[in-house]
Amino acid sequence: MEPSKTLVSAEGVEKWFGRRKILDRIDLSVTSGEVVVLIGSSGSGKTTFLRCINHLEKIEAGRITVNGFLIGYRDRRGRLVEDREANIARQRRDVGMVFQRFNLFANLNVLDNISIAPIRVRGEPRDAAIIRARALLARVGLADKEAAYPASLSGGQQQRVAIARALAMQPAVMLFDEPTSALDPEMVGEVLAVMRDLANEGMTMIIVTHEMGFARQVAHRIVVMDAGRIVESGLPDQVFGDPQHSKTRALLKAVLH
Amino acid sequence: MHFDWPYFWHQLLEPNGAFLEGLWLTILISIAGQVIGLALGLPIALARRATAPFLTYPARLYIFMFRGTPLLVQIVFIYTGLAAAGILRFQDWHFGAFTLAGNVQAGILALGLNEAAYMAEIFRAGVDAVDRGQIEAAKSLGMPPSMTLRHIVLPQALRIVLLPIGNQFNIMLKNSTLVSIIGVSEMLLVTETINSATFRTFELYSVLALYFLLLTSVWSIVMHWLELHMDRRPDHITAPTVDTALALTEA
C-alpha cells in the first residue's frame, strides 16, 4: 500500500453566524482513501463544517486545503482574502458533494444531470461523457432510468443519481451531508449500499450521518462534534465501544437505545 | 334608452376597413410592446439582483420610475416630450409598401419600456423562486455563476414565470388603447372617430368591448394550451410552480 497522504486539511476553522460561533477552531486532516464519519447532535456544526470544505459557507478564521490547494481564499501577504468566483468554481471540481435533499437539476433528465458538469465544466467530449454517465448509472443500479426526470424518481433513486452525478466529476474526495435523512426508511439501505461500495473501492469520504450502524461498519475514523468543536475522535470500535467524552456518551445513548 | 340592434350587429359582424386596420394595429402594438418588454425585462431583472451598485441602482431606478408613473403620462412623455426636448423625434419608417408611423413607434416603445419594468419584477421573482439547493448543487460541481444561471436557473425560472407573463400580455392588449392619446389609430381611436360622427356610443363601445373579449379569449386559449403542454412534459416541476405563479400574478 502506498503511503497515505493528506488530502483534506482543516486548521483552526472558525465560523460565525452573526455573533454566534458555529465552528470553534476545527482541526481535521483526512488522508487519501480514508472514510471519516462526523457525528453529533443537531446544531453541533457538523453539516456547516462539511459545507465549508467546498466553500458553500465562508469561514471567518483558519484555513481549509484540498490536495494542498487553499479552498475559497487566497493568501495575500499572510492574510486570507476570499477568492474570485471563477477560481472557487475550479477548486470545487475536486470535491464531490451529496446533499440531504438530493438537489438533482429539475429541468434535466437523469443522464443530463450526470453529464452536464463533465461536458460544460471539464470540457469532456459529449460522447465520452455520456458513456461514462451510463457506466455510473449502471454502477448505482439505475441503468434503466437514464431518460427519467428527477420528479418521477423515488428519493432513494434520486440520491443514487446524485451520487453518480458527483462521481462523474472524478472528485478526489466525496462529501455526504446526511444523505439518508430525507429518505423513507425502506430506501435508506439502497443508498448506504452504494456508499459502502464506494468506500470499499478506496474513495476518500467525509460523511455526516445519523446511521450509527453504517458508521461503525464503514468508517475508518469517527469524529464527534458538539457546540462547534471536535470533542472526540477515534476508531469506530473505540468511540462506540468506549466513548471518552460525556457528550459522546449522551449522544450514543440517545440514538442507540 | 334606445339600443340600435341592427347598427350594433352591423358594426360587430361587418366592421368597416378602418376598424379592421385598428384591430391589426392593436395586435401589432401589443405584440411588439410585449417583445420589447420581454427582451429588456430579463437583463433589468439580472441587473436588479446584482450586488454591484452600478448595476442594481440603475435597474431599481428604472423599475421605480416606470412602475411609479401612469402609463398614459409615459406615452405622452416619450412621444412629445422627447421631441420637445430635442432628444428624439420619431420619424415615419417605410419598409416597401408598409409604413410604421412615428407615433406608432413611440407608442410601441412606451408600452415596451413600461412593460419591461413589470417583466423585470416577474423575472426577478421567478429567479428567486428557484430552489437554493439547485444553485448549491451546481456550485458543488464546479459550475461558475453564469453557467448555473443559463443551464439551471433560467430554464426553471421561465417555467415558473410563464403564467404571470401570460397575464401581463392580457393587460398589454387592453393597455394598448392608451396610445390613442398620441393619435395612433388602434381600435379605440377608430371607434371614437366613428362615434364622433354617429353618436352611437353605447353600440360602438359594446362592439369594441366584444372585440377585446375576442382577443383576450384567443390569448387565454393559447395560454391554456401552453400550460397543458408544460404539464404533460416529464420535467414538469410540480411543487412550487402553481403557488409561486399565483403569488407573482398578485404581486
Side-chain angles (χ1 to χ4, degrees), chain B residues 79-112:
Chain B
Y79 184 51
T80 57
L82 292 185
I87 297 169
L88 178 62
R89 195 174 297 278
F90 289 92
Q91 312 279 354
D92 292 1
W93 285 345
H94 304 279
F95 318 91
F98 183 75
T99 299
L100 194 63
N103 59 350
V104 177
Q105 296 164 37
I108 289 171
L109 184 66
L111 288 171

mmCIF file of all heavy atoms in Angstrom, chain B residues 79-112:
data_model
loop_
_atom_site.group_PDB
_atom_site.id
_atom_site.type_symbol
_atom_site.label_atom_id
_atom_site.label_comp_id
_atom_site.label_asym_id
_atom_site.label_seq_id
_atom_site.Cartn_x
_atom_site.Cartn_y
_atom_site.Cartn_z
ATOM 1 N N TYR B 79 -43.438 60.400 -26.624
ATOM 2 C CA TYR B 79 -43.720 60.881 -27.974
ATOM 3 C C TYR B 79 -43.464 62.377 -28.109
ATOM 4 O O TYR B 79 -42.665 62.807 -28.939
ATOM 5 C CB TYR B 79 -45.150 60.551 -28.375
ATOM 6 C CG TYR B 79 -45.455 60.949 -29.803
ATOM 7 C CD1 TYR B 79 -44.611 60.547 -30.840
ATOM 8 C CD2 TYR B 79 -46.568 61.719 -30.115
ATOM 9 C CE1 TYR B 79 -44.872 60.903 -32.159
ATOM 10 C CE2 TYR B 79 -46.841 62.075 -31.430
ATOM 11 C CZ TYR B 79 -45.981 61.668 -32.438
ATOM 12 O OH TYR B 79 -46.248 62.033 -33.738
ATOM 13 N N THR B 80 -44.103 63.159 -27.272
ATOM 14 C CA THR B 80 -43.983 64.613 -27.448
ATOM 15 C C THR B 80 -42.862 65.205 -26.597
ATOM 16 O O THR B 80 -42.175 66.116 -27.024
ATOM 17 C CB THR B 80 -45.310 65.309 -27.081
ATOM 18 O OG1 THR B 80 -45.642 64.966 -25.741
ATOM 19 C CG2 THR B 80 -46.419 64.881 -28.002
ATOM 20 N N GLY B 81 -42.668 64.659 -25.402
ATOM 21 C CA GLY B 81 -41.657 65.209 -24.503
ATOM 22 C C GLY B 81 -40.248 65.070 -25.057
ATOM 23 O O GLY B 81 -39.473 66.030 -25.055
ATOM 24 N N LEU B 82 -39.901 63.880 -25.556
ATOM 25 C CA LEU B 82 -38.558 63.679 -26.092
ATOM 26 C C LEU B 82 -38.311 64.564 -27.299
ATOM 27 O O LEU B 82 -37.213 65.088 -27.491
ATOM 28 C CB LEU B 82 -38.339 62.199 -26.462
ATOM 29 C CG LEU B 82 -38.285 61.199 -25.297
ATOM 30 C CD1 LEU B 82 -37.940 59.808 -25.812
ATOM 31 C CD2 LEU B 82 -37.275 61.636 -24.241
ATOM 32 N N ALA B 83 -39.368 64.748 -28.110
ATOM 33 C CA ALA B 83 -39.229 65.605 -29.289
ATOM 34 C C ALA B 83 -39.055 67.068 -28.874
ATOM 35 O O ALA B 83 -38.176 67.769 -29.372
ATOM 36 C CB ALA B 83 -40.442 65.446 -30.194
ATOM 37 N N ALA B 84 -39.868 67.492 -27.911
ATOM 38 C CA ALA B 84 -39.800 68.880 -27.457
ATOM 39 C C ALA B 84 -38.446 69.190 -26.836
ATOM 40 O O ALA B 84 -37.909 70.290 -26.985
ATOM 41 C CB ALA B 84 -40.911 69.155 -26.438
ATOM 42 N N ALA B 85 -37.887 68.201 -26.142
ATOM 43 C CA ALA B 85 -36.587 68.409 -25.517
ATOM 44 C C ALA B 85 -35.451 68.277 -26.532
ATOM 45 O O ALA B 85 -34.285 68.458 -26.197
ATOM 46 C CB ALA B 85 -36.387 67.392 -24.388
ATOM 47 N N GLY B 86 -35.821 67.919 -27.770
ATOM 48 C CA GLY B 86 -34.803 67.808 -28.815
ATOM 49 C C GLY B 86 -33.966 66.550 -28.711
ATOM 50 O O GLY B 86 -32.886 66.455 -29.285
ATOM 51 N N ILE B 87 -34.453 65.561 -27.952
ATOM 52 C CA ILE B 87 -33.689 64.326 -27.772
ATOM 53 C C ILE B 87 -33.973 63.347 -28.898
ATOM 54 O O ILE B 87 -33.067 62.815 -29.524
ATOM 55 C CB ILE B 87 -34.025 63.670 -26.404
ATOM 56 C CG1 ILE B 87 -33.606 64.619 -25.270
ATOM 57 C CG2 ILE B 87 -33.336 62.324 -26.271
ATOM 58 C CD1 ILE B 87 -34.124 64.210 -23.913
ATOM 59 N N LEU B 88 -35.274 63.128 -29.145
ATOM 60 C CA LEU B 88 -35.626 62.128 -30.157
ATOM 61 C C LEU B 88 -36.934 62.525 -30.811
ATOM 62 O O LEU B 88 -37.939 62.755 -30.140
ATOM 63 C CB LEU B 88 -35.759 60.744 -29.489
ATOM 64 C CG LEU B 88 -36.160 59.582 -30.396
ATOM 65 C CD1 LEU B 88 -35.121 59.344 -31.500
ATOM 66 C CD2 LEU B 88 -36.366 58.316 -29.588
ATOM 67 N N ARG B 89 -36.883 62.649 -32.125
ATOM 68 C CA ARG B 89 -38.105 62.945 -32.875
ATOM 69 C C ARG B 89 -38.428 61.710 -33.696
ATOM 70 O O ARG B 89 -37.589 61.233 -34.462
ATOM 71 C CB ARG B 89 -37.862 64.157 -33.800
ATOM 72 C CG ARG B 89 -39.120 64.784 -34.345
ATOM 73 C CD ARG B 89 -38.762 66.049 -35.112
ATOM 74 N NE ARG B 89 -38.158 67.062 -34.245
ATOM 75 C CZ ARG B 89 -38.865 67.909 -33.467
ATOM 76 N NH1 ARG B 89 -40.173 67.856 -33.471
ATOM 77 N NH2 ARG B 89 -38.242 68.784 -32.709
ATOM 78 N N PHE B 90 -39.616 61.140 -33.492
ATOM 79 C CA PHE B 90 -39.973 59.894 -34.185
ATOM 80 C C PHE B 90 -40.363 60.184 -35.631
ATOM 81 O O PHE B 90 -41.293 60.953 -35.891
ATOM 82 C CB PHE B 90 -41.123 59.187 -33.462
ATOM 83 C CG PHE B 90 -40.701 58.594 -32.145
ATOM 84 C CD1 PHE B 90 -40.832 59.325 -30.969
ATOM 85 C CD2 PHE B 90 -40.144 57.325 -32.092
ATOM 86 C CE1 PHE B 90 -40.436 58.794 -29.754
ATOM 87 C CE2 PHE B 90 -39.742 56.781 -30.883
ATOM 88 C CZ PHE B 90 -39.884 57.519 -29.709
ATOM 89 N N GLN B 91 -39.624 59.578 -36.567
ATOM 90 C CA GLN B 91 -39.911 59.732 -37.993
ATOM 91 C C GLN B 91 -40.637 58.489 -38.494
ATOM 92 O O GLN B 91 -40.430 57.404 -37.972
ATOM 93 C CB GLN B 91 -38.595 59.854 -38.776
ATOM 94 C CG GLN B 91 -37.601 60.846 -38.208
ATOM 95 C CD GLN B 91 -37.912 62.281 -38.617
ATOM 96 O OE1 GLN B 91 -38.817 62.512 -39.422
ATOM 97 N NE2 GLN B 91 -37.163 63.235 -38.077
ATOM 98 N N ASP B 92 -41.444 58.683 -39.529
ATOM 99 C CA ASP B 92 -42.086 57.511 -40.141
ATOM 100 C C ASP B 92 -41.029 56.628 -40.787
ATOM 101 O O ASP B 92 -40.077 57.125 -41.388
ATOM 102 C CB ASP B 92 -43.089 57.956 -41.223
ATOM 103 C CG ASP B 92 -44.288 58.672 -40.598
ATOM 104 O OD1 ASP B 92 -44.303 58.810 -39.358
ATOM 105 O OD2 ASP B 92 -45.185 59.090 -41.360
ATOM 106 N N TRP B 93 -41.214 55.305 -40.617
ATOM 107 C CA TRP B 93 -40.320 54.356 -41.287
ATOM 108 C C TRP B 93 -41.079 53.705 -42.424
ATOM 109 O O TRP B 93 -42.234 53.326 -42.272
ATOM 110 C CB TRP B 93 -39.887 53.256 -40.317
ATOM 111 C CG TRP B 93 -38.866 53.690 -39.323
ATOM 112 C CD1 TRP B 93 -38.100 54.806 -39.350
ATOM 113 C CD2 TRP B 93 -38.513 52.979 -38.124
ATOM 114 N NE1 TRP B 93 -37.283 54.852 -38.246
ATOM 115 C CE2 TRP B 93 -37.512 53.752 -37.476
ATOM 116 C CE3 TRP B 93 -38.914 51.781 -37.545
ATOM 117 C CZ2 TRP B 93 -36.918 53.350 -36.283
ATOM 118 C CZ3 TRP B 93 -38.337 51.379 -36.361
ATOM 119 C CH2 TRP B 93 -37.340 52.159 -35.731
ATOM 120 N N HIS B 94 -40.387 53.553 -43.561
ATOM 121 C CA HIS B 94 -41.006 52.885 -44.703
ATOM 122 C C HIS B 94 -40.253 51.603 -45.003
ATOM 123 O O HIS B 94 -39.039 51.603 -45.154
ATOM 124 C CB HIS B 94 -40.973 53.802 -45.939
ATOM 125 C CG HIS B 94 -41.634 55.127 -45.683
ATOM 126 N ND1 HIS B 94 -42.999 55.292 -45.742
ATOM 127 C CD2 HIS B 94 -41.110 56.334 -45.344
ATOM 128 C CE1 HIS B 94 -43.291 56.558 -45.448
ATOM 129 N NE2 HIS B 94 -42.159 57.213 -45.195
ATOM 130 N N PHE B 95 -41.005 50.506 -45.014
ATOM 131 C CA PHE B 95 -40.423 49.243 -45.491
ATOM 132 C C PHE B 95 -41.260 48.825 -46.691
ATOM 133 O O PHE B 95 -42.300 48.198 -46.525
ATOM 134 C CB PHE B 95 -40.521 48.125 -44.451
ATOM 135 C CG PHE B 95 -40.209 48.556 -43.041
ATOM 136 C CD1 PHE B 95 -41.225 48.995 -42.193
ATOM 137 C CD2 PHE B 95 -38.908 48.498 -42.567
ATOM 138 C CE1 PHE B 95 -40.934 49.381 -40.896
ATOM 139 C CE2 PHE B 95 -38.630 48.886 -41.269
ATOM 140 C CZ PHE B 95 -39.644 49.330 -40.435
ATOM 141 N N GLY B 96 -40.802 49.190 -47.910
ATOM 142 C CA GLY B 96 -41.575 48.883 -49.109
ATOM 143 C C GLY B 96 -42.951 49.524 -49.027
ATOM 144 O O GLY B 96 -43.064 50.732 -48.808
ATOM 145 N N ALA B 97 -44.002 48.679 -49.117
ATOM 146 C CA ALA B 97 -45.368 49.205 -49.111
ATOM 147 C C ALA B 97 -45.843 49.517 -47.697
ATOM 148 O O ALA B 97 -46.871 50.153 -47.508
ATOM 149 C CB ALA B 97 -46.315 48.193 -49.763
ATOM 150 N N PHE B 98 -45.073 49.047 -46.714
ATOM 151 C CA PHE B 98 -45.517 49.147 -45.339
ATOM 152 C C PHE B 98 -44.881 50.356 -44.657
ATOM 153 O O PHE B 98 -43.685 50.600 -44.797
ATOM 154 C CB PHE B 98 -45.131 47.855 -44.616
ATOM 155 C CG PHE B 98 -45.593 47.813 -43.192
ATOM 156 C CD1 PHE B 98 -46.924 47.584 -42.875
ATOM 157 C CD2 PHE B 98 -44.673 48.011 -42.159
ATOM 158 C CE1 PHE B 98 -47.333 47.545 -41.566
ATOM 159 C CE2 PHE B 98 -45.087 47.975 -40.848
ATOM 160 C CZ PHE B 98 -46.417 47.742 -40.545
ATOM 161 N N THR B 99 -45.684 51.129 -43.943
ATOM 162 C CA THR B 99 -45.168 52.293 -43.234
ATOM 163 C C THR B 99 -45.450 52.159 -41.745
ATOM 164 O O THR B 99 -46.552 51.784 -41.347
ATOM 165 C CB THR B 99 -45.839 53.584 -43.749
ATOM 166 O OG1 THR B 99 -45.546 53.716 -45.140
ATOM 167 C CG2 THR B 99 -45.298 54.801 -43.014
ATOM 168 N N LEU B 100 -44.428 52.414 -40.933
ATOM 169 C CA LEU B 100 -44.644 52.439 -39.492
ATOM 170 C C LEU B 100 -44.530 53.899 -39.053
ATOM 171 O O LEU B 100 -43.448 54.480 -39.052
ATOM 172 C CB LEU B 100 -43.605 51.568 -38.781
ATOM 173 C CG LEU B 100 -43.906 51.224 -37.325
ATOM 174 C CD1 LEU B 100 -45.176 50.400 -37.213
ATOM 175 C CD2 LEU B 100 -42.745 50.474 -36.691
ATOM 176 N N ALA B 101 -45.680 54.482 -38.725
ATOM 177 C CA ALA B 101 -45.717 55.908 -38.412
ATOM 178 C C ALA B 101 -44.945 56.215 -37.135
ATOM 179 O O ALA B 101 -44.798 55.349 -36.265
ATOM 180 C CB ALA B 101 -47.168 56.363 -38.264
ATOM 181 N N GLY B 102 -44.493 57.441 -37.027
ATOM 182 C CA GLY B 102 -43.705 57.863 -35.869
ATOM 183 C C GLY B 102 -44.441 57.679 -34.559
ATOM 184 O O GLY B 102 -43.873 57.196 -33.578
ATOM 185 N N ASN B 103 -45.734 58.027 -34.542
ATOM 186 C CA ASN B 103 -46.462 57.902 -33.276
ATOM 187 C C ASN B 103 -46.691 56.440 -32.886
ATOM 188 O O ASN B 103 -46.761 56.104 -31.713
ATOM 189 C CB ASN B 103 -47.776 58.698 -33.318
ATOM 190 C CG ASN B 103 -48.704 58.238 -34.428
ATOM 191 O OD1 ASN B 103 -48.321 57.456 -35.289
ATOM 192 N ND2 ASN B 103 -49.933 58.740 -34.409
ATOM 193 N N VAL B 104 -46.777 55.568 -33.921
ATOM 194 C CA VAL B 104 -46.913 54.139 -33.625
ATOM 195 C C VAL B 104 -45.623 53.620 -32.974
ATOM 196 O O VAL B 104 -45.654 52.885 -31.979
ATOM 197 C CB VAL B 104 -47.243 53.330 -34.900
ATOM 198 C CG1 VAL B 104 -47.313 51.835 -34.587
ATOM 199 C CG2 VAL B 104 -48.551 53.814 -35.504
ATOM 200 N N GLN B 105 -44.472 54.062 -33.531
ATOM 201 C CA GLN B 105 -43.194 53.672 -32.940
ATOM 202 C C GLN B 105 -43.099 54.127 -31.484
ATOM 203 O O GLN B 105 -42.698 53.373 -30.607
ATOM 204 C CB GLN B 105 -42.025 54.292 -33.707
ATOM 205 C CG GLN B 105 -41.883 53.842 -35.134
ATOM 206 C CD GLN B 105 -40.961 54.786 -35.898
ATOM 207 O OE1 GLN B 105 -39.978 55.267 -35.344
ATOM 208 N NE2 GLN B 105 -41.292 55.058 -37.141
ATOM 209 N N ALA B 106 -43.495 55.375 -31.276
ATOM 210 C CA ALA B 106 -43.419 55.920 -29.914
ATOM 211 C C ALA B 106 -44.332 55.137 -28.975
ATOM 212 O O ALA B 106 -43.964 54.839 -27.829
ATOM 213 C CB ALA B 106 -43.794 57.399 -29.914
ATOM 214 N N GLY B 107 -45.530 54.788 -29.471
ATOM 215 C CA GLY B 107 -46.479 54.029 -28.659
ATOM 216 C C GLY B 107 -45.924 52.664 -28.293
ATOM 217 O O GLY B 107 -45.994 52.232 -27.134
ATOM 218 N N ILE B 108 -45.344 51.988 -29.298
ATOM 219 C CA ILE B 108 -44.759 50.662 -29.047
ATOM 220 C C ILE B 108 -43.617 50.781 -28.040
ATOM 221 O O ILE B 108 -43.511 49.990 -27.097
ATOM 222 C CB ILE B 108 -44.250 50.040 -30.377
ATOM 223 C CG1 ILE B 108 -45.437 49.630 -31.247
ATOM 224 C CG2 ILE B 108 -43.335 48.847 -30.106
ATOM 225 C CD1 ILE B 108 -45.052 49.216 -32.660
ATOM 226 N N LEU B 109 -42.778 51.785 -28.231
ATOM 227 C CA LEU B 109 -41.628 51.956 -27.335
ATOM 228 C C LEU B 109 -42.088 52.214 -25.894
ATOM 229 O O LEU B 109 -41.591 51.598 -24.949
ATOM 230 C CB LEU B 109 -40.752 53.117 -27.825
ATOM 231 C CG LEU B 109 -39.467 53.343 -27.025
ATOM 232 C CD1 LEU B 109 -38.522 52.156 -27.184
ATOM 233 C CD2 LEU B 109 -38.765 54.631 -27.456
ATOM 234 N N ALA B 110 -43.090 53.092 -25.765
ATOM 235 C CA ALA B 110 -43.571 53.413 -24.419
ATOM 236 C C ALA B 110 -44.178 52.186 -23.741
ATOM 237 O O ALA B 110 -43.876 51.886 -22.583
ATOM 238 C CB ALA B 110 -44.599 54.544 -24.485
ATOM 239 N N LEU B 111 -45.012 51.459 -24.476
ATOM 240 C CA LEU B 111 -45.613 50.246 -23.913
ATOM 241 C C LEU B 111 -44.526 49.241 -23.547
ATOM 242 O O LEU B 111 -44.579 48.595 -22.500
ATOM 243 C CB LEU B 111 -46.595 49.612 -24.912
ATOM 244 C CG LEU B 111 -47.924 50.335 -25.137
ATOM 245 C CD1 LEU B 111 -48.680 49.713 -26.301
ATOM 246 C CD2 LEU B 111 -48.778 50.307 -23.878
ATOM 247 N N GLY B 112 -43.528 49.122 -24.429
ATOM 248 C CA GLY B 112 -42.439 48.158 -24.196
ATOM 249 C C GLY B 112 -41.594 48.523 -22.993
ATOM 250 O O GLY B 112 -41.271 47.671 -22.164
#
